[in-house]
């Protein structure tokens, strides 16, 4: 039985519905979190509408509870208590920070670490963070999120005269869009026809639009929101360079490893990113792409310029990037790994 | 400060009517009275009914020795001046919490135990009446019914905690911290189990909702003008009506249309109740709040319901968004008391609801394209002077 935040295509559906040899119940907290009709089926259920937990578990033949965020793991503790089922909890960027968390968060995290059987941080960086918060290391299994390689087939980097830079991510501080925009403005001096496209929506939309005005980015900058996956892929196909300027937000919020970065790498788009959170586990500087210090406009501008100037190096970056994603971030492999972790939890393997 | 006495509070049709010629800001309003802030540490509650002012004064005086009671300052025939708290309510304080902090559980248990010791009969408080001061010190307001209502178990507190999904962790902690209290509560619920064949739901009179017994409120799903709905098992619920005439009308509609996919399955009926399938899923209004556009799939399913109503001979053709439940087995429509008796050929309440969600135009475009005949029958849509769809 999986508990995630929303029934919504952005919420790691494969990790719930496509784990080999494991059937699923897709639980969300309340009906209001079911927001995508095509994903609704008879396996979608609502935590607050479970009448008797024991009956529910029996009727649906549930053997493992998997919460896809720390706060959801805490929510399932009484459920676990009542049913005696093992609980695995995925740990993503926000879970391992104290930023903007509700009252008693750390205390509840400690309880979760004590009572939960398994923790699946999405990168080693977050694994270290939760150990520091008190999670017993023997309960931790790092589980990288995977990319559907068939949906993101490789293409050779575009060799043409355009300089279209793409970034995808919610409009929140930790995505570093504001740093990218300032770096982009600097790059424009040397590459006047360069463009920057940001795809995402979120609380900082107004700020980002006014920053674009302030920086006089005019037609060279586009902010696109509410796009379908197909539309996003189309934008990817047209871009020359991908950038994820991730950084630690002023409230401490951090990333895991951004999925869009993995997708760009799978597609063969050269990437520029930052030494932030789990990103160095995906990209070694100057091998699968370029990494710069986070929150540094000049460094990022230099890296973008370097990339745009050295187009001849793109293919070697892109090939190494694809190889890295295939080795460590292939969704098929990662789902098999997840199934193995479940097997182990059920006592099948050690 | 006595100029607050120029404020008048009286009962209006639906809400309280307040005339406030003073500068004191209104900070809260309930069914019995309104509260105005007088200073940084004082507020006045003005009642519509002097008996309630008296009841609150008596309860406050009886609780002055309790640390979580507001200080009592002064009272008159229709008002009480008491301590004002500039602090978040417990509901606000626990926002986004998914596991209740043990410190809060301990303090709540302490409050409940002291209320009991002081011989109050209402050993309960809703989350919005509990304030959290610095150092997590709790204060509890609104004691009008402290000696009137009998809640040996904190029904309101548990119901509120359940809504924010903290009831389970709260009860788990109560079981550990005070096993005896936990047992008493569980015994209470065991003794007050739903017996839907013999349940008190009374009609609230014209224009008012039905009244339900709070002892079984933990399983209450919803209540409206004609009845209250309770969950009775994993997949069943029961709707209990204040008037048997309403039960009869709805029974007729549901039973004669069990073959229609959007009509909930009925399992059992009585003179004032109907046992039917429990519908899992969001209502369509809640769902559409999160959508950026109205998909053809949703428009189509909605239209199919209206078309099926018409061909099944329903007199009232309407589907308010809050009455459509999105289940894994398709859209279901609830509340059919007037389907055979109230003549209404155009789905005006649906139009009104869609307009609120900004989807009326796209729905009408869909209907115009797929079924121009029906579209023409629906035109023109009556609007009021502000351009809003008239519901009747």
């Amino acid at each position: 039985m999986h508990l995630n935040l929303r029934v919504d295509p952005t919420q790691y559906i494969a990790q719930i519905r496509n784990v080999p040899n494991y059937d699923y119940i897709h639980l969300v907290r309340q009906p209001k979190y079911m927001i995508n009709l095509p994903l609704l089926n008879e396996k979608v259920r609502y935590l607050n509408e479970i009448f008797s937990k024991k009956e529910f578990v029996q009727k649906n033949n549930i053997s493992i509870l998997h919460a896809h965020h720390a706060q959801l793991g805490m929510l399932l503790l009484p459920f676990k208590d009542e049913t005696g089922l093992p609980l695995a909890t995925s740990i993503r960027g926000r879970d391992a920070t104290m930023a903007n968390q509700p009252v008693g968060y750390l205390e509840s995290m400690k309880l979760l670490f004590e009572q939960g059987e398994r923790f699946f941080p999405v990168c080693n960086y977050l694994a270290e963070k939760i150990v520091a918060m008190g999670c017993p290391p023997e309960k931790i299994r790092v589980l990288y999120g995977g990319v559907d390689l068939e949906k993101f087939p490789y293409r050779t980097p575009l060799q043409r005269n355009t300089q279209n830079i793409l970034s995808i991510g919610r409009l929140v501080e930790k995505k570093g869009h504001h740093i990218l925009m300032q770096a982009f403005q600097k790059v424009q001096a040397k590459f006047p026809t360069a463009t920057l496209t940001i795809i995402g929506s979120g609380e900082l939309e107004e700020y980002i639009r006014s920053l674009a005005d302030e920086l006089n980015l005019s037609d060279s900058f586009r902010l696109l929101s509410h796009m379908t996956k197909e539309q996003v892929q189309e934008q990817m196909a047209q871009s020359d360079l991908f950038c994820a300027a991730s950084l630690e937000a002023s409230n401490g919020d951090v990333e895991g490893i951004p999925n869009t970065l993995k997708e760009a790498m799978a597609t063969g788009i050269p990437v520029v990113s930052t030494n932030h959170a789990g990103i160095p586990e995906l990209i070694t500087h100057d091998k699968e792409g370029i990494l710069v210090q986070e929150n540094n406009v000049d460094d990022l501008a230099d890296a973008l310029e370097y990339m745009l100037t050295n187009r001849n190096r793109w293919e070697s970056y892109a090939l190494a990037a694809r190889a890295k994603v295939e080795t460590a971030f292939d969704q098929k492999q990662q789902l098999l790994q997840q199934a193995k972790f479940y097997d182990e939890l059920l006592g099948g393997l050690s | 400060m006595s100029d607050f006495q120029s404020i008048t509070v009286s009962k209006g049709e639906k809400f309280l009517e307040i005339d406030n010629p003073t500068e004191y800001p209104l900070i809260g309003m309930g069914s019995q009275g309104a509260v105005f802030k007088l200073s940084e540490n004082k507020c006045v509650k003005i009642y519509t009914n002097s008996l309630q002012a008296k009841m609150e004064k008596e309860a406050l005086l009886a609780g002055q020795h309790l640390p979580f009671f507001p200080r009592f300052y002064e009272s008159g025939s229709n008002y009480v001046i008491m301590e004002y708290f500039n602090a978040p309510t417990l509901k606000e304080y626990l926002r986004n919490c998914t596991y209740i902090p043990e410190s809060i559980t301990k303090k709540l248990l302490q409050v409940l135990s002291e209320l009991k010791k002081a011989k109050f009969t209402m050993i309960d408080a809703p989350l919005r009446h509990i304030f959290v001061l610095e150092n997590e010190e709790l204060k509890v307001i609104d004691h009008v019914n402290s000696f009137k209502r009998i809640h040996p178990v904190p029904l309101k507190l548990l119901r509120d905690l359940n809504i924010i999904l903290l009831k389970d962790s709260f009860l788990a902690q109560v079981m550990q911290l005070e096993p005896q209290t936990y047992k008493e509560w569980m015994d209470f619920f065991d003794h007050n189990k739903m017996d839907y064949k013999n349940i008190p739901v009374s009609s609230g009179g014209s224009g008012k909702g039905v009244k339900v017994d709070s002892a079984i409120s933990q399983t209450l799903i919803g209540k409206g003008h004609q009845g209250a709905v309770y969950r009775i098992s994993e997949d069943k619920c029961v709707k209990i009506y204040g008037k048997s005439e309403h039960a009869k009308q709805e029974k007729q509609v549901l039973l004669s249309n069990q073959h229609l996919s959007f009509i909930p399955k009925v399992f059992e009926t009585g003179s004032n109740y109907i046992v039917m399938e429990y519908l899992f899923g969001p209502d369509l209004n809640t769902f559409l709040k999160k959508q950026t556009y109205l998909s053809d799939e949703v428009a189509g399913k909605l239209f199919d319901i209206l078309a099926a109503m018409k061909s099944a001979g329903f007199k009232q053709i309407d589907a308010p968004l809050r009455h459509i439940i999105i289940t894994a087995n398709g859209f279901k429509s609830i509340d059919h008391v007037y389907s055979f008796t109230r003549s209404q050929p155009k789905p005006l309440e649906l139009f009104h609801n869609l307009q609120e969600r900004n989807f009326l135009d796209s729905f009408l475009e869909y209907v115009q394209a797929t079924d121009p005949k029906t579209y023409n029958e629906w035109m023109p849509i009556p609007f009021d002077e502000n351009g809003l769809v008239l519901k009747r």
Side-chain angles (χ1 to χ4, degrees):
Chain A
M1 181 182 96
H2 298 262
L3 177 62
N4 83 338
L5 288 175
R6 291 182 296 276
V7 177
D8 170 353
T10 64
Q11 298 287 316
Y12 16 90
I13 299 300
Q15 286 190 40
I16 293 173
R17 302 189 173 192
N18 303 338
V19 184
N21 297 323
Y22 282 89
D23 199 359
Y24 68 92
I25 288 288
H26 185 168
L27 203 66
V28 286
R29 287 163 290 172
Q30 288 161 321
K32 67 176 176 185
Y33 296 111
M34 202 300 291
I35 62 170
N36 183 272
L37 207 49
L39 285 175
L40 177 62
N41 62 26
E42 73 285 355
K43 293 179 183 177
V44 170
R45 303 301 289 271
Y46 309 98
L47 178 64
N48 75 324
E49 303 205 332
I50 293 176
F51 195 70
S52 150
K53 297 182 182 76
K54 280 185 183 156
E55 261 176 53
F56 186 83
V57 161
Q58 214 169 14
K59 209 171 154 186
N60 294 291
N61 204 9
I62 293 164
S63 49
I64 296 179
L65 309 176
H66 184 166
H68 286 261
H69 270 289
Q71 49 158 324
L72 299 176
M74 296 167 194
L75 187 60
L76 283 184
L77 283 176
F79 196 110
K80 168 184 168 47
D81 226 21
E82 208 177 313
T83 58
L85 289 172
L87 170 65
T89 305
S90 291
I91 301 290
R92 299 166 203 280
R94 248 194 82 55
D95 300 332
T97 69
M98 292 307 295
N100 281 348
Q101 299 290 14
V103 289
Y105 186 75
L106 189 59
E107 182 197 331
S108 304
M109 275 299 259
K110 287 188 190 298
L111 200 66
L112 179 61
F113 292 146
E114 192 185 304
Q115 297 185 8
E117 277 79 4
R118 280 290 178 273
F119 296 89
F120 300 150
V122 297
C123 58
N124 287 309
Y125 170 83
L126 289 173
E128 283 164 27
K129 275 216 142 188
I130 59 170
V131 169
M133 286 170 90
C135 183
E138 66 274 13
K139 290 185 175 181
I140 296 177
R141 304 287 181 273
V142 173
L143 181 61
Y144 287 135
V147 174
D148 183 345
L149 293 174
E150 281 165 25
K151 276 196 187 145
F152 295 91
Y154 180 81
R155 54 125 169 113
T156 313
L158 302 172
Q159 293 299 337
R160 55 183 192 188
N161 288 327
T162 53
Q163 298 99 24
N164 297 329
I165 303 169
L166 177 68
S167 186
I168 306 176
R170 279 179 303 126
L171 307 181
V172 293
E173 189 188 353
K174 71 174 173 184
K175 297 289 176 187
H177 295 309
H178 56 295
I179 300 294
L180 172 58
M181 289 164 74
Q182 292 169 62
F184 172 71
Q185 189 209 30
K186 291 189 156 214
V187 169
Q188 275 187 312
K190 222 175 180 180
F191 295 93
T193 58
T195 71
L196 172 63
T197 302
I198 291 177
I199 302 178
S201 54
E203 60 200 38
L204 294 183
E205 181 166 342
E206 215 168 289
Y207 164 72
I208 284 185
R209 287 192 193 282
S210 69
L211 180 63
D213 287 344
E214 207 179 292
L215 295 170
N216 276 323
L217 300 183
S218 63
D219 287 349
S220 64
F221 174 77
R222 286 185 309 163
L223 176 61
L224 307 174
S225 314
H226 305 302
M227 299 190 83
T228 62
K229 283 204 163 181
E230 290 72 31
Q231 287 170 316
V232 171
Q233 265 179 304
E234 212 169 287
Q235 289 299 323
M236 271 205 181
Q238 287 166 20
S239 66
D240 298 288
L241 206 54
F242 187 91
C243 181
S246 306
L247 50 85
E248 181 171 337
S250 40
N251 66 8
D253 193 6
V254 293
E255 298 260 31
I257 304 177
N259 262 325
T260 53
L261 199 51
K262 298 173 203 162
E263 290 164 0
M265 288 167 70
T267 312
I269 309 168
V271 295
V272 173
S273 191
T274 59
N275 269 315
H276 170 75
I279 296 173
E281 296 169 47
L282 173 69
I283 300 169
T284 305
H285 174 62
D286 206 24
K287 191 175 170 205
E288 291 95 3
I290 300 285
L291 286 192
V292 296
Q293 191 188 38
E294 66 178 79
N295 210 358
N296 188 323
V297 174
D298 290 340
D299 278 11
L300 185 59
D302 288 348
L304 292 171
E305 260 191 47
Y306 170 83
M307 273 294 204
L308 292 175
T309 314
N310 295 283
R311 242 177 156 115
N312 56 335
R313 304 224 33 210
W314 285 12
E315 191 162 0
S316 71
Y317 287 135
L319 286 170
R322 174 76 190 190
K324 183 66 178 277
V325 173
E326 282 179 4
T327 317
F329 299 91
D330 172 7
Q331 189 176 75
K332 266 192 196 151
Q333 290 303 319
Q334 292 314 104
L335 293 175
L336 270 172
Q337 184 64 64
Q338 192 177 336
K340 278 188 195 157
F341 288 156
Y342 288 164
D343 292 343
E344 183 197 10
L345 190 50
L346 293 175
L349 294 165
S350 58
Chain B
M1 197 190 273
S2 67
D3 54 345
F4 69 83
Q5 293 198 43
S6 61
I7 303 174
T8 61
V9 177
S10 55
K11 278 217 159 144
E13 188 119 318
K14 271 190 179 166
F15 304 105
L16 294 180
E17 276 171 15
I18 293 166
D19 178 32
N20 179 9
T22 73
E23 305 256 295
Y24 301 125
L26 174 73
I27 52 172
M29 194 158 77
S31 53
Q32 322 125 350
V35 185
F36 301 86
K37 182 177 167 184
L38 297 178
S39 70
E40 280 317 304
N41 54 7
K42 280 185 185 175
C43 62
V44 62
K45 185 165 176 184
I46 301 178
Y47 303 80
T48 56
N49 173 333
S50 58
L51 176 66
Q52 285 181 324
K54 194 169 161 252
M55 281 159 67
E56 178 116 35
K57 175 190 165 189
E58 281 168 8
L60 276 178
L61 287 173
Q64 284 301 288
H65 65 290
L66 298 174
F68 54 88
F69 258 62
R71 297 298 95 209
F72 169 85
Y73 294 112
E74 182 191 327
S75 68
S77 68
N78 71 332
Y79 70 88
V80 175
I81 298 180
M82 61 188 116
E83 192 177 358
Y84 165 73
F85 305 112
N86 182 15
T89 65
L90 189 50
K91 189 181 167 181
E92 290 157 352
Y93 187 73
L94 293 175
R95 214 175 99 83
N96 293 332
C97 243
T98 53
Y99 199 91
I100 195 166
E102 194 179 77
S103 52
I104 291 290
T105 301
K106 281 182 177 163
K107 284 176 180 130
L108 284 172
L109 285 173
Q110 205 178 344
V111 165
L112 297 173
S113 119
E114 293 195 38
L115 283 173
K116 200 171 164 186
K117 243 190 270 167
K119 303 264 186 286
F120 286 94
T121 57
M122 179 85 170
I123 318 295
D124 195 5
L127 291 179
R128 66 178 192 285
H129 288 167
I130 303 172
F131 289 91
V132 186
L133 276 54
E134 273 174 42
N135 303 324
E136 276 193 350
E137 187 188 349
L138 302 185
K139 297 281 183 182
V140 183
I141 61 157
D142 197 345
H143 299 281
V144 174
N145 292 311
S146 292
F147 289 122
K148 187 185 166 202
R149 291 213 185 117
I150 302 171
H151 279 201
V153 167
L155 299 168
K156 289 183 180 180
L157 180 67
L158 289 173
R159 187 170 160 76
D160 281 359
L161 287 171
N162 192 38
I163 291 169
I164 56 172
L165 304 177
L166 294 179
K167 183 182 162 189
D168 286 352
S169 51
F170 177 70
L171 285 177
Q173 289 174 357
V174 173
M175 187 160 66
Q176 272 206 328
L177 295 164
E178 287 188 18
Q180 185 54 31
T181 307
Y182 179 78
K183 190 174 172 300
E184 280 168 29
W185 293 358
M186 292 305 118
D187 287 349
F188 176 88
F189 287 124
D190 277 346
H191 285 135
N192 287 283
K193 268 204 175 142
M194 156 83 69
D195 171 15
Y196 57 83
K197 290 178 186 169
N198 188 11
I199 203 171
V201 173
S202 55
S203 172
S206 164
K208 286 187 182 168
V210 293
K211 289 178 181 160
V212 297
D213 179 3
S214 55
I216 49 161
S217 64
Q218 303 297 310
T219 51
L220 180 71
I221 300 164
K223 62 185 176 104
H225 291 304
Q226 307 113 12
V229 182
Y230 294 88
R231 182 89 174 270
I232 54 173
S233 73
E234 182 61 39
D235 52 4
K236 287 177 190 165
C237 60
V238 61
K239 182 166 177 182
I240 299 167
Y241 300 79
K243 291 179 181 162
S244 55
E245 182 59 24
H246 287 146
K248 200 175 141 195
Q249 280 173 220
E250 182 143 34
K251 209 180 332 180
Q252 218 172 7
V253 178
L254 294 178
L255 288 178
S256 60
N257 289 291
Q258 286 289 291
H259 60 288
L260 296 178
S261 68
F262 64 88
I263 294 287
K265 297 279 159 280
V266 172
F267 298 107
E268 185 193 338
T269 63
S271 67
N272 73 330
Y273 69 85
I274 301 177
V275 178
M276 52 188 127
E277 70 175 308
Y278 181 73
L279 301 171
F280 292 94
D283 69 78
L284 193 50
N285 193 45
T286 303
F287 179 80
L288 288 179
K289 277 184 189 167
K290 304 273 173 66
Q291 306 298 312
T292 48
Y293 65 98
L294 183 75
S295 71
D296 278 0
E297 190 184 2
V298 171
K301 288 185 168 169
L302 205 44
F303 181 71
D304 287 348
I305 291 180
L306 298 167
M309 282 177 172
K310 198 178 173 203
S311 44
F314 281 36
K315 276 194 171 169
Q316 185 183 41
I317 309 293
D318 210 343
L321 291 178
R322 68 182 185 284
H323 287 169
I324 303 284
I325 311 293
I326 303 180
T327 77
N329 300 316
F331 284 23
K332 304 282 176 181
S333 155
I334 56 167
D335 201 347
H336 295 284
V337 172
Y338 298 116
S339 296
F340 283 174
T341 46
R342 201 174 263 174
S343 177
Q344 187 200 321
K346 297 181 187 181
L348 296 178
E349 189 158 355
L350 172 66
F351 290 167
H352 185 89
N353 295 162
L354 284 169
Q355 189 179 35
E356 281 173 340
R357 299 270 71 82
N358 255 327
F359 292 141
L360 180 58
D361 290 344
S362 31
F363 180 67
L364 291 174
E365 277 165 28
Y366 173 88
V367 177
Q368 189 175 24
T370 51
D371 189 341
K373 187 168 165 280
T374 303
Y375 175 82
N376 287 330
E377 283 166 12
W378 284 352
M379 292 299 123
I381 296 173
F383 292 100
D384 70 8
E385 66 274 15
N386 298 317
L388 299 174
V389 176
L390 284 167
K391 286 197 236 176
R392 290 253 163 87

